[in-house]
Amino acid sequence: MTPPLHRDRSLEELEHDRWPAPSADDTRLVATALALRRRPIGELTVEDMRLLIRQDIGLPYLLPLALEVLRDNPMAEGHMYEGDLLSAVLTRNPAVWTEFPELGRELRAIVSKLTGLPSDAQQRAERLLAP
């Protein structure tokens, strides 16, 4: 079961886990992820979710939000390409869908309605979301 969505709270607040501020040696990706963890999840953009999900950060809270977006627009895009949020969600470890089966069912329903997915994306979706 996924945790309740408290859109006014940050991942740090929801997870009760404050990460250190970025150091001068951290990459831009690390610094961005750290900053996004401090932002209320209801304020995250498609790009913000894509970035965090790709890094496996905050999945119990972000996957339900991402699926809300994908339900309305399966090809929603951040800053990379059309469908990059769907790609980020589909490329998570299959264990995620075991942990959150209701999200897996919803994602399976979203993907099943899509036509014209590249064959590698369709195959990945079928493998990851097989019942």
Side-chain angles (χ1 to χ4, degrees), residues 43-124:
E43 295 178 11
L44 296 175
T45 66
V46 168
E47 174 61 15
D48 298 337
M49 286 188 282
R50 182 203 64 79
L51 184 145
L52 291 167
I53 289 169
R54 281 260 189 225
Q55 300 303 313
D56 292 317
I57 296 172
L59 294 181
Y61 302 97
L62 298 182
L63 287 176
L65 288 177
L67 288 176
E68 283 180 8
V69 171
L70 295 172
R71 193 179 314 125
D72 293 333
N73 180 6
M75 299 309 288
E77 77 181 271
H79 295 160
M80 300 294 287
Y81 53 88
E82 183 178 39
D84 60 4
L85 180 61
L86 178 62
S87 178
V89 169
L90 285 174
T91 55
R92 294 313 85 216
N93 187 310
V96 168
W97 309 115
T98 303
E99 189 175 344
F100 304 110
E102 68 281 2
L103 295 178
R105 285 189 293 276
E106 184 174 357
L107 182 58
R108 191 177 302 113
I110 291 167
V111 171
S112 72
K113 295 175 187 170
L114 295 176
T115 59
L117 275 181
S119 62
D120 63 324
Q122 186 66 45
Q123 290 170 354
R124 187 171 48 242

Side-chain angles (χ1 to χ4, degrees), residues 20-23 26-38 51:
S23 72
D26 284 335
T27 64
R28 186 167 48 115
L29 174 63
V30 170
T32 300
L34 289 170
L36 291 175
R37 280 187 46 79
R38 292 178 175 92
L51 184 145

